Amino acid sequence: MCIRDRIRYAKLSSQRQGVLISSFFVGTMQFHSYSLKLIECACSLLVWTHFAACFWYFLGSSSDSPKNWVASFSYQNESGIRLYLYSFYWAVVSLTTAGYGDIRATNTSEWFTCIV
């Protein structure tokens, strides 16, 4: 093989290697794009669940009536963070439609919130 053939072979192999490397990066970028979409979806779900939990917490702790979910399950002496965790649990169970029913609506405003 003469020097000119070796140079030509080196150019072709470097071009082929460049194509393989560029296709690898395109595939990686596509994967990266899908993982960003998945992370964005998970964060969005977490934010909406937080809003639902905050609203459920507000409904249970704002009224002094004995007929709310906090009073019905004797959670009046629980800390605020514990009530939030109960509310977050309710939101996750409600949004995933598992609906265990261990924390449920007990008055009209809570029923309306569950329907909406």
Side-chain angles (χ1 to χ4, degrees), residues 5-6 13 25 27 33 39 48-49 65 69 82 86 97-99 109 111 114:
D5 291 337
R6 286 185 183 182
S13 70
F25 281 120
S33 170
I39 290 170
W48 282 108
T49 305
S65 102
W69 71 270
R82 191 143 185 130
Y86 289 142
T97 67
S109 60
W111 290 331
C114 289

Side-chain angles (χ1 to χ4, degrees), residues 74-93:
S74 302
Y75 292 152
Q76 295 96 337
N77 298 329
E78 298 288 340
S79 67
I81 190 70
R82 191 143 185 130
L83 285 176
Y84 173 76
L85 289 175
Y86 289 142
S87 301
F88 194 82
Y89 167 77
W90 170 84
V92 168
V93 168

Side-chain angles (χ1 to χ4, degrees), residues 45 88-104 114:
L45 183 64
F88 194 82
Y89 167 77
W90 170 84
V92 168
V93 168
S94 296
L95 291 174
T96 58
T97 67
Y100 294 124
D102 44 356
I103 298 176
R104 59 187 174 277
C114 289

Side-chain angles (χ1 to χ4, degrees), residues 7-111:
I7 292 173
R8 191 177 301 147
Y9 178 74
K11 284 182 180 179
L12 285 174
S13 70
S14 69
Q15 287 175 351
R16 176 177 283 150
Q17 199 172 25
V19 168
L20 289 175
I21 290 173
S22 67
S23 67
F24 171 75
F25 281 120
V26 167
T28 304
M29 293 298 282
Q30 231 175 8
F31 176 73
H32 185 64
S33 170
Y34 291 135
S35 21
L36 284 178
K37 283 287 191 189
L38 183 64
I39 290 170
E40 180 184 341
C41 183
C43 288
S44 176
L45 183 64
L46 184 66
V47 166
W48 282 108
T49 305
H50 168 73
F51 285 147
C54 286
F55 193 68
W56 188 251
Y57 176 84
F58 172 74
L59 283 176
S61 62
S62 65
S63 67
D64 292 331
S65 102
K67 192 166 181 164
N68 61 24
W69 71 270
V70 174
S72 297
F73 301 109
S74 302
Y75 292 152
Q76 295 96 337
N77 298 329
E78 298 288 340
S79 67
I81 190 70
R82 191 143 185 130
L83 285 176
Y84 173 76
L85 289 175
Y86 289 142
S87 301
F88 194 82
Y89 167 77
W90 170 84
V92 168
V93 168
S94 296
L95 291 174
T96 58
T97 67
Y100 294 124
D102 44 356
I103 298 176
R104 59 187 174 277
T106 56
N107 61 30
T108 309
S109 60
E110 292 173 359
W111 290 331

